Amino acid sequence: MEEHKKNIIFASSNEVSISPRKIRLVVNLVKNKEIQEALDILKYSKKHQISLILRKLLLSALSNWNKIYKNILEKDSNLYIGKIVVNQGKTLKRLRPVPQGRGNRIRKRSSKILVVLEKR
């Protein structure tokens, strides 16, 4: 079990101001892909803001890998995205005025993203 834990590196991003449902659309494209392939998919994705956040997160996880395994090159290590988890973060609640003196609630959702890299 300890040897398996050594091969796992992660990076996380909290309070991303995009709803989890929208982020999961892009995350499903890159699940279980190798790092370079996932970065290429995100580079040409039409969801620019989401793909930019996920791209930064993948590069951060790759940097974390290189800090621990300094002498192993990323090409030789066969890294792939083991798991990406998108959970709901805090929800900001706002009011929008509607007729007859009432107010409707607007929910501005945020997300928490966790990327886990593993070695094949």
Side-chain angles (χ1 to χ4, degrees):
M1 188 70 174
E2 295 247 350
E3 195 170 311
H4 181 65
K5 286 184 180 180
K6 289 180 184 177
N7 293 334
I8 297 174
I9 301 294
F10 70 94
S12 65
S13 178
N14 295 330
E15 302 306 323
V16 177
S17 61
I18 302 172
S19 70
R21 186 175 177 182
K22 291 178 184 177
I23 294 178
R24 284 186 193 114
L25 292 173
V26 181
V27 163
N28 289 335
L29 296 174
V30 295
K31 269 186 185 175
N32 298 323
K33 305 274 186 194
E34 291 195 13
I35 295 292
Q36 191 58 46
E37 186 180 352
L39 289 173
D40 290 340
I41 290 171
L42 291 174
K43 186 176 182 179
Y44 297 109
S45 173
K46 289 187 178 182
K47 306 268 187 188
H48 298 292
Q49 187 179 10
I50 299 168
S51 61
L52 181 67
I53 292 168
L54 287 176
R55 196 171 156 80
K56 281 184 180 180
L57 199 56
L58 279 178
L59 291 174
S60 173
L62 191 60
S63 174
N64 293 343
W65 177 272
N66 288 335
K67 284 179 188 175
I68 293 175
Y69 302 102
K70 294 177 183 173
N71 53 0
I72 299 174
L73 296 173
E74 68 180 78
K75 293 176 184 173
D76 297 335
S77 60
N78 291 330
L79 287 177
Y80 73 101
I81 300 170
K83 182 167 65 169
I84 298 183
V85 180
V86 181
N87 292 326
Q88 185 167 345
K90 291 182 181 177
T91 301
L92 298 175
K93 293 167 182 138
R94 302 289 181 254
L95 288 177
R96 164 170 267 156
V98 292
Q100 299 181 0
R102 289 175 287 166
N104 283 351
R105 183 168 282 182
I106 296 174
R107 291 180 210 91
K108 296 187 176 188
R109 301 180 192 275
S110 64
S111 305
K112 297 177 183 178
I113 308 170
L114 174 73
V115 175
V116 178
L117 298 182
E118 294 180 4
K119 186 177 176 182
R120 289 195 199 260

